[in-house]
């Protein structure tokens, strides 16, 4: 199906863990008939594969080679996005506690980042994508027509992640809040493409708002931008 407006744009949604990026991005993509790309899932799939191979984030050469040859694909599924690593559906395993705790260390590696960014740019070439991550507006798609920096208080973010872990979370809410704060720090302080608000990104705080309310606001902005570009091109 086509977008409600024939001129398609790219939408970048960045922000810290648990801000609601993936839920909001999925809703926005659904409303506009765009493709949703969860770039965190790509770093998670790589981390899972590296851990399974017995690698740590200090094995930079071997992790880089793994990233460069790993086939990662994202396909729409009945419950959101399905994630495949070398053809295997890894969707349920990439959200585990062990992946949560390791992913930001693997995501610091330069060749891992350049491989993921190259894959992500290819996915966005045809326009009409909503891509969420940490460096999309600043680094992967600096020309995205609409950039959002989505955030929420660290408590709200921890509560959201806690509910994702199901009946036996294996961690307390307080521990999760500390883990999230630690992950934010690593993501913000890394040398390559750190988590940073692009100067032209719109700041949106999702605390106390539903994902639907936030998504609706972004959809309206997206439609307005697409209309303006269409009018200018005529
Ligand atoms: O969005 P998420 O929590 O699934 O992301 C998992 C990790 O991947 C996060 O700690 C940082 C990293 N990441 C990144 O460095 N760059 C991206 N574009 C997306 C995620």
């Amino acid at each position: 199906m086509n977008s409600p407006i024939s001129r398609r744009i790219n939408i970048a949604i960045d922000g810290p863990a648990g801000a609601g990026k993936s839920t909001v991005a999925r809703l926005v993509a659904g409303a506009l008939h765009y493709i949703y790309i969860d770039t965190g899932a790509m770093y998670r799939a790589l981390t899972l594969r590296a851990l399974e191979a017995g690698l740590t984030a200090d094995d930079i050469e071997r992790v880089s080679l793994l990233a460069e040859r790993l086939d990662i694909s994202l396909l729409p599924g009945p419950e959101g996005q399905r994630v495949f690593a070398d053809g295997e559906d890894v969707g349920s395993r990439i959200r585990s506690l062990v992946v949560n705790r390791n992913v930001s260390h693997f995501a610091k590696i330069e060749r891992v980042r350049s491989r993921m960014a190259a894959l992500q740019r290819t996915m966005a070439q045809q326009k009409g994508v909503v891509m969420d991550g940490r460096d999309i507006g600043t680094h992967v798609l600096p020309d995205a027509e609409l950039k959002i920096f989505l955030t929420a208080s660290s408590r709200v973010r921890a509560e959201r992640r806690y509910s994702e872990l199901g009946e036996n979370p294996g961690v307390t809410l307080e521990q999760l809040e500390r883990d999230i704060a630690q992950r934010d720090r690593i993501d913000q302080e890394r040398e390559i493409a750190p988590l940073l608000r692009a100067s032209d990104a719109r700041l949106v705080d999702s605390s106390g708002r539903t994902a639907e309310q936030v998504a609706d606001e972004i959809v309206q902005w997206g439609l307005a931008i697409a209309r303006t570009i269409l009018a200018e091109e005529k």
Side-chain angles (χ1 to χ4, degrees), residues 39-40 43-44 103-104 107 113 133-135 161 183 187 190:
T39 64
Y43 288 95
R44 286 171 177 274
V103 60
S104 51
R113 298 207 70 79
R134 303 292 189 289
D135 60 340
R161 278 288 143 103
R183 202 139 62 87
D187 292 343
R190 71 168 170 245

Side-chain angles (χ1 to χ4, degrees), residues 28-67:
V28 172
L32 294 172
H33 309 298
Y34 279 14
I35 294 168
Y36 165 52
I37 297 167
D38 173 358
T39 64
M42 300 170 70
Y43 288 95
R44 286 171 177 274
L46 180 266
T47 300
L48 177 73
R49 277 290 185 259
L51 293 172
E52 284 173 349
L55 301 176
T56 72
D58 293 330
D59 296 314
I60 292 178
E61 180 61 24
R62 284 194 289 170
V63 174
S64 300
L65 286 172
L66 176 65

Side-chain angles (χ1 to χ4, degrees), residues 26 74-84 89:
R26 197 175 303 125
L74 306 173
L75 295 174
E79 288 160 36
Q81 190 153 67
R82 297 175 71 196
V83 187
F84 294 84
D89 188 341

Side-chain angles (χ1 to χ4, degrees), residues 11-16 131 133-151 188 193-204:
I11 302 178
I13 303 184
D14 291 300
M131 194 175 278
R134 303 292 189 289
D135 60 340
I136 309 307
T138 51
H139 184 70
V140 177
L141 303 178
D143 297 331
E145 289 84 351
L146 175 57
K147 298 180 187 177
I148 307 294
F149 195 85
L150 187 64
T151 188
Q188 283 159 355
L195 169 64
L196 193 73
R197 179 185 168 193
S199 56
D200 52 351
R202 301 177 194 214
L203 182 65
V204 177

